[in-house]
Amino acid sequence: YYNRELYFDVEFQKFLQFKFDQQWTKLKKYANDKHIQIVGDMPIYVSPDGSDVWAQPEMFQLDEQNNLTQIAGCPPDSFSADGQVWGNPVYDWDALRETGYAWWLRRLERALKLYDIVRLDHFIGFSRYFRIPAGEKASAGAYCPGPGLDFFKKAFEKLGPLPIIAEDLGYITPC
């Protein structure tokens, strides 16, 4: 079902995605045939107005009208006296855990088809993440536990060994 006014725009976008997928697949095969591996980036957070939040609002910390209740950011520190408000929706890790992390595993599985190695941006967010009440300053935020090793065990069970690069520019922590 499409809104009639948007039908041709939607079909055009689908066509562009189809063509990109064809061309990307050829490029990746060419690179792999030359023993070149492609590293792709996967940001931990998604856009607040993206299709992920629209299609599966239950996976994010939203209110009944699907407005953001909590947003991503980082606390005040020696790099930023006020902290940072990124504005991305944060995950409802309890809801994701109940599904066996199905949404995240589909996301990771797709990335592993596109790339040979996936760089997980802001990797520390899987251990703990900083959330800020929507509309507030970073100083109003707090750390919350992420899914931790449980997520990666589920990913390993479904996808096997994970060719990932764990990126984080924050402080080194035991976890």
Side-chain angles (χ1 to χ4, degrees):
Y1 167 76
Y2 294 111
N3 177 314
R4 287 177 187 236
E5 294 175 27
L6 298 177
Y7 177 80
F8 290 106
D9 290 334
V10 169
E11 290 301 310
F12 180 66
Q13 293 304 316
K14 287 168 56 177
F15 172 75
L16 290 177
Q17 289 295 313
F18 170 75
K19 293 307 287 180
F20 170 79
D21 193 63
Q22 281 184 324
Q23 293 170 1
W24 181 261
T25 300
K26 286 172 94 173
L27 175 64
K28 184 175 180 298
K29 181 180 179 337
Y30 176 81
N32 291 164
D33 287 348
K34 304 267 185 226
H35 307 288
I36 298 169
Q37 291 186 311
I38 296 177
V39 176
D41 188 60
M42 179 185 284
I44 191 168
Y45 293 117
V46 297
S47 175
D49 60 355
S51 63
D52 297 302
V53 179
W54 171 80
Q56 294 207 273
E58 67 277 7
M59 298 297 124
F60 302 91
Q61 296 181 31
L62 309 174
D63 66 16
E64 296 79 29
Q65 288 78 41
N66 292 339
N67 296 310
L68 302 176
T69 59
Q70 303 289 322
I71 55 175
C74 65
D77 60 17
S78 59
F79 300 107
S80 175
D82 295 329
Q84 297 176 22
V85 176
W86 300 336
N88 305 85
V90 293
Y91 300 104
D92 183 335
W93 285 113
D94 291 333
L96 283 158
R97 186 176 299 108
E98 289 175 15
T99 68
Y101 306 103
W103 179 89
W104 253 102
L105 294 180
R106 284 192 311 273
R107 187 175 187 220
L108 192 53
E109 185 174 34
R110 176 64 177 153
L112 291 170
K113 286 181 182 171
L114 291 173
Y115 317 116
D116 300 298
I117 301 168
V118 176
R119 176 188 168 274
L120 291 176
D121 182 53
H122 197 66
F123 190 81
I124 193 83
F126 292 100
S127 175
R128 68 177 186 166
Y129 65 98
F130 192 77
R131 74 177 188 184
I132 305 162
E136 298 289 328
K137 294 181 178 183
S139 58
Y143 278 106
C144 299
L149 189 57
D150 185 52
F151 167 72
F152 291 99
K153 286 180 179 178
K154 296 283 189 214
F156 181 81
E157 287 172 15
K158 179 173 173 119
L159 304 170
L162 301 172
I164 61 172
I165 297 169
E167 182 278 341
D168 189 35
L169 299 177
Y171 296 108
I172 296 174
T173 63
C175 58

